[in-house]
Each structure stands twice: as C-alpha cells, then as structure tokens.
C-alpha cells in the first residue's frame, strides 16, 4: 500500500530503482506490535528481511513459492506419519549447513594463545541421555558386527589454559555399527546402548576403551531432504565418524565428531560437520588380541569462564 | 574446514573480521554438482546465502534453531492430520508477506503512460475452478445469510492501451458469507458455489450482478501460523474483501481483491494484500428492491504482449 493511504514509511530498501514497492518489507516489519519481545523483533525481523530480499533477488515465481509451500508440508507430514521418529526438518536444515552454523555460533572459541580448544561439531539426532558408564579398558561393542574393525581408542583430556589433565572428565561416545546404523535404527541386530558408553578420565586425565573404526553412511533417500539434495546434484553421504561429548562441571563441554583421514566424503560431508582438528589417523595396532587398530585422540577443554578472543 | 585441508576458497564473505569461518557458506554452495539446473543454482544458492547471513547476523541460538525445526514439523503435521485441507505452510508464508511479494514479482506492471493496469493481489486458498457462469444481472447469493447486506456490483473492463472496453472478458468473483466463511468451510449453511460466479462482459465491456458487502474475518487461531502471529504481537484479521479474477484470451489476467474503504484492518491486513487502487467505496443504493448498496468498479487489463516500463 502506498504511503498516502497508510502513512507508511517511504524509505527505500534497495539502492537501485525497482519496479517493486520499496516500502513493502518495512510495512511488514512495522506491523509487529509493542508486546513483541526484543529478541523476537530482532530474529523475526531479520528473517523477514532476508526472506524478502531473497525473493526479490531471484524474482521467485509463484510456482517456485508454491513448490516450497508443498515442500514444507511434506517435511512435517513425514514427521507426523512416522510417529515423530523421522525428523526431516532437522535433516533439511543440516543439508543446508544450518545446524553446523548454529553450532559454530554457539561454541566457537578462538584463543589468544594460538592453541584452541577442541572444535565442536553437530550433535545429530542419535545421542542418548541413557548411555551407561563403563570402565576404562572395557568395550562399547555389545553386539559384534560383521566387518567391524575393533579399535583401541585412548587419549588425554586437558585444560586449554594450564595444559594440565582434567581428572574425572566424562568422555561419552556413540557410533553407528558397521552397517551404518545406530542401535535405535537397528533393533534386530543391536541391543539398546550397543556402541554407546561413558568413560571417566583417570587421575592423569586419561581415558581408554574399545570401539569400532567408524563406517560412512547415507542419509535416508526417500524423503524431502533427499529431493532437495537431488535438486543440488549432491550425494547423501556422511563420512565415517565417531561422536563424542566431553564434559566436566568446571569446563565448557565439547560435543564433536572424529573422522578417519582417508574417508572419501570428508570434503563434501552432506551436513558440513568436518573440521581440520577433527580429522584423525587410525593406526594398525600390534600386540593387543582385542583390537587391530589404535586411535590416540586428545581433547582440550576451555574453563567455564574462558571467553577467548573477542571480535 | 580450513582451506589448507580442503582447497576451499578463502574469500571473505563479510566485510568485518569475524570469529566465524569466512569460507563456510561458499563451501556449502560449492558442493552443488554440475547437474544442478541453472535456476536451482540461482534460487537455492541465494536461499542458502540469506539463511546463513540471517543466522550469523542474529547469532541464532541452538534453542532457536531447534524451535524452528519443531515449527516446520508442526506446520506439515497439521496438513497431514487435516487430510490436506489446512495448508498452514501457505498461511505462514502469507503472514510473512511472501505470497504478496511473489504476486507482485509475477504481476506488477508499471506503465509508461501513468495509467497502470488494475493491481493484482494474492489468490488465497479459496478460489474454485468450478464456479458456474451466471447471467449479468443475476445474484451469486444462493443461501441468504443473516446480516448480509446485498450489493449491486457493476463496472466496465477496459484495455490499458486503447482505453476501449473488452467484450467477453470473464469476471470471476468469490467471497465469504456474512459469517466470514467460504462455501468449502461452511457446508452446514452454504451449498457448493454459494457466493461464487463467473460473468461475461457484454458488448460494452460491462458486467453487473448482486453479491454481499464483504465481511472481515480471522485466520484460524489454533495452529502454527497463529503462534507466529502471537510472537510478533499481531492480530489475525483480514480486512473484508471480495476476490475477483478477470480474464480474456488476449489480455494478461488480473487476480485481485477489493476492500471497503472504511475497513479497520486495511493498514494491517495480516497477509498484506491491500493496495490503494483496490480500496473501494460502497454507496447506498435507492430504487432497487434487491440491494441496499452499490459498488462501481472498473477493471483495466494489459494486452498479453504489453511489457510496461523496464527497470
């Protein structure tokens, strides 16, 4: 609506003349009422501006808009029809890089010293709050799987500032089996908490246990997220990875993932969760009849009140 | 992932130094494969850039991202559970101004002469392809409603360039009843095609028929779109309106809505579909025992090959 009739601002929103009403986006923003919280005003205001700018930039067609409406409905339909087990909205946001981005926004710390804490990576949908504590030296493999390559994983959890070990830090690990499935997804082959466990670091900050070398797997290929991947001519693969969540009451927790350095999907991970310090080297292990591989991975945590470099 | 390991571009995307990886968004865009169509590359590329810029600008939190994931799932859940009758994704896009924007992008024509064709407005979800043809002078009111104020609506459909009338142009009208509901939504009170009809302009480009003065109504207040309105402290009201779609094989069709000038919701229409030339004056009518009001509304159509001013 033009300013004459509505009293709307006539301020231009684009630097160039355009056939589009320059006051439209501001008009939409101005309908927000006084009881909108400050945060909602900022977040929804920015969302509306970007949505409008995107639409004008690409001159979004009515058919494309309607396809997007149907896409959103289809995303939620799968969630409803699967009894809330298939979270396609989560997956769509992942393949657009959004979960990795909000993880970076929430957790990225850059130190002044040049040594940074261990990078975070997305939690993903398969963490369980119910993983049992296990003893250092034990195994998370409850249901041995064909082709599973057993690995002795160990390392030290230490303080970013002092470099000292952090005794009693909790190292929580979860991983898919050699078929690329987690216990939740594979009840015929895996009992609950197979390939899950929490380990408490010893007095020297050390943890050690047996797990599998991880296996690459595909996201589901029968839903809207795969449709979107196909529109972008992208594959649905995640590189092989081990999930870890390392916590201690006096430190900022670190939720992350570790990737074998020779995995073919590292550079094009479909959810963009790979970072350099998370790429690891599994080495052949001799003299241990329980494992054929070894992974030495040290974790660095920042103290709870650590802020790092400000920008 | 840093350039050293992936060969990714190190080009900065923001003018200021940031704690965030400046190559992340470009990395996501670069995973699009060679078989992506040009249009998908443009549209999805712009969508991803704006989504990322939005997230960084507001420093979107993990809780906010997760709330958005649940919101999208809830939108599609209503669609699935209602048997596809409640299109909340459509409604959410409407209250964010998106349907009005894509309508403007698709249909906005600015003439060189100063006289513009009749403005378009959104189609909305209630148009029917099955509305019957009726004779000029007849009524679309099949089921008289309490408090319905009958109006004689008439006007001329003419050519933007020549100013001449357009005989045989089709004037398709649909409107809600005095309870704010369309026939689809109100089977207990309304038979199919109540308050719908198509009229063919006579040799002088004239159409005339009886309808109701329209009634303002609220969008549904029990779904995700209303939740979003509440977050913005906005009302769910649409101003009273009459939908029309005017077509002729030799002209660009015009789908639009007409609004009484004294409606209280004009400036804050929840779907932002009001434009100045669509605000009309219903006048008292004397000497016609079928109606108490009159609406004179002329429609201007642009010839099919008309392009208007370019920007």
């Amino acid at each position: 609506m033009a300013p004459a009739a509505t009293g709307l601002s006539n301020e231009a929103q684009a630097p160039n003349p355009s056939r589009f009403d320059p006051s439209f986006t501001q008009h939409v923003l101005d309908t927000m009422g006084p009881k909108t919280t400050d945060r909602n005003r900022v977040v929804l205001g920015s969302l509306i501006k970007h949505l409008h700018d995107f639409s004008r930039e690409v001159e979004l067609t009515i058919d494309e808009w309607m396809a997007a409406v149907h896409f959103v409905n289809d995303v939620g339909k799968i969630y409803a029809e699967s009894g809330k087990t298939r979270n396609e909205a989560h997956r769509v946001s992942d393949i657009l890089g959004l979960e990795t981005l909000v993880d970076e926004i929430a957790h990225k710390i850059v130190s002044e010293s040049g040594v940074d804490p261990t990078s975070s990576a997305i939690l993903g949908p398969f963490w369980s709050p119910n993983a049992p504590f296990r003893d250092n030296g034990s195994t998370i493999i409850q249901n041995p799987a064909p082709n599973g390559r057993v690995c002795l994983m160990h390392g030290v959890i230490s303080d970013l500032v002092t470099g000292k070990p952090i005794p009693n830090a909790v190292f929580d690990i979860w991983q898919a089996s050699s078929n690329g499935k987690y216990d939740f997804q594979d009840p015929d082959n895996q009992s609950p908490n197979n390939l899950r466990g929490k380990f408490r670091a010893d007095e020297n900050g050390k943890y050690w246990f047996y797990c599998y070398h991880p296996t690459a797997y595909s996201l589901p290929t029968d839903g809207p997220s795969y449709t979107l991947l196909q529109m972008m001519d992208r594959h649905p693969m995640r590189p092989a990875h081990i999930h870890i969540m390392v916590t201690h009451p006096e430190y900022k927790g670190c939720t992350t993932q570790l990737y074998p350095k020779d995995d073919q999907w590292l550079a094009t991970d479909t959810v963009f969760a790979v970072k350099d310090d998370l790429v690891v080297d599994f080495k052949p292990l001799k003299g241990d009849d329980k494992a054929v591989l070894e992974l030495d991975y040290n974790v660095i945590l920042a103290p709870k009140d650590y802020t790092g470099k400000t920008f």
Side-chain angles (χ1 to χ4, degrees), chain A:
Chain A
M1 225 173 155
T6 58
L8 299 176
S9 158
N10 198 22
E11 191 187 347
Q13 284 157 357
N16 301 316
S18 157
R19 69 192 172 102
F20 307 129
D21 177 358
S23 65
F24 180 70
T25 299
Q26 192 59 48
H27 172 45
V28 173
L29 296 176
D30 287 346
T31 59
M32 282 196 226
K35 289 183 217 144
T36 312
T37 66
D38 289 348
R39 181 64 182 162
N40 282 346
R41 195 176 293 275
V42 166
V43 173
L44 295 171
S46 175
L47 182 68
I48 288 168
K49 275 187 210 162
H50 278 288
L51 193 62
H52 287 197
D53 285 346
F54 152 70
S55 304
R56 282 183 289 244
E57 254 173 53
V58 304
E59 301 216 353
L60 194 69
T61 70
I62 289 180
D63 286 350
E64 289 163 346
W65 159 74
M66 188 50 83
V69 163
H70 287 307
F71 185 85
V72 170
N73 279 326
D74 286 347
V75 162
K77 187 166 163 280
I78 285 207
Y79 185 67
E81 291 176 353
S82 69
K84 305 192 178 183
T85 59
R86 277 196 59 179
N87 194 333
E88 281 281 311
H90 186 149
R91 211 158 256 143
V92 166
S93 79
D94 282 1
I95 67 174
L96 296 175
L98 194 56
E99 188 177 3
T100 286
L101 197 53
V102 295
D103 172 62
E104 181 184 38
I105 292 167
H107 299 123
K108 179 81 165 276
I109 297 169
V110 179
S111 75
E112 299 278 4
S113 67
V115 178
D116 293 325
T118 299
S119 291
S120 68
I122 63 175
L123 177 65
F126 298 112
W127 177 75
S128 166
N130 304 319
F133 272 96
R134 304 185 194 275
D135 292 331
N136 279 310
S138 68
T139 181
I140 63 169
I141 306 165
Q142 309 298 302
N143 308 106
N147 309 316
R149 284 183 291 161
V150 181
C151 171
L152 172 62
M153 183 170 173
H154 60 88
V156 176
I157 303 163
S158 64
D159 181 310
L160 172 71
V161 178
T162 65
K164 289 184 181 168
I166 308 175
N168 294 314
V170 173
F171 192 101
D172 185 353
I173 173 175
W174 66 107
Q175 68 176 164
S177 190
S178 62
N179 61 0
K181 293 188 171 169
Y182 293 85
D183 57 352
F184 299 163
Q185 300 173 294
D186 192 25
D188 291 346
N189 299 306
Q190 299 183 53
S191 49
N193 294 319
N194 183 46
L195 299 174
R196 298 177 186 277
K198 289 179 192 149
F199 298 85
R200 200 176 288 282
D202 72 6
E203 67 278 14
N204 299 312
K206 287 188 180 171
Y207 72 87
W208 67 102
F209 57 79
Y210 294 93
C211 60
Y212 277 140
H213 182 285
T215 302
Y217 60 79
S218 170
L219 300 191
T221 55
D222 61 347
S225 57
Y226 188 61
T227 303
L228 185 57
L229 285 172
Q230 287 179 303
M231 288 173 73
M232 296 189 281
D233 188 24
R234 280 172 47 185
H235 67 72
M237 298 300 295
R238 291 228 58 213
H241 58 277
I242 290 175
H243 291 274
I244 64 175
M245 181 189 283
V246 186
T247 53
H248 185 284
E250 293 163 27
Y251 292 84
K252 295 181 197 287
C254 178
T255 298
T256 194
Q257 304 179 24
L258 305 176
Y259 308 90
K261 70 174 187 181
D262 55 353
D263 190 281
Q264 68 176 302
W265 311 108
L266 286 182
T268 58
D269 177 12
T270 194
V271 305
F272 309 104
V274 179
K275 290 164 189 154
D276 284 351
D277 64 318
L278 305 176
V279 176
V280 297
D281 192 8
F282 287 80
K283 291 186 171 152
L285 180 63
K286 310 264 181 195
D288 184 332
D289 59 4
K290 293 187 198 145
V292 295
L293 293 168
E294 176 179 20
L295 174 60
D296 182 14
Y297 192 74
N298 299 326
V299 175
I300 302 174
L301 297 185
K304 206 123 204 170
D305 58 359
Y306 185 83
T307 52
K309 195 171 160 187
T310 50
F311 290 84

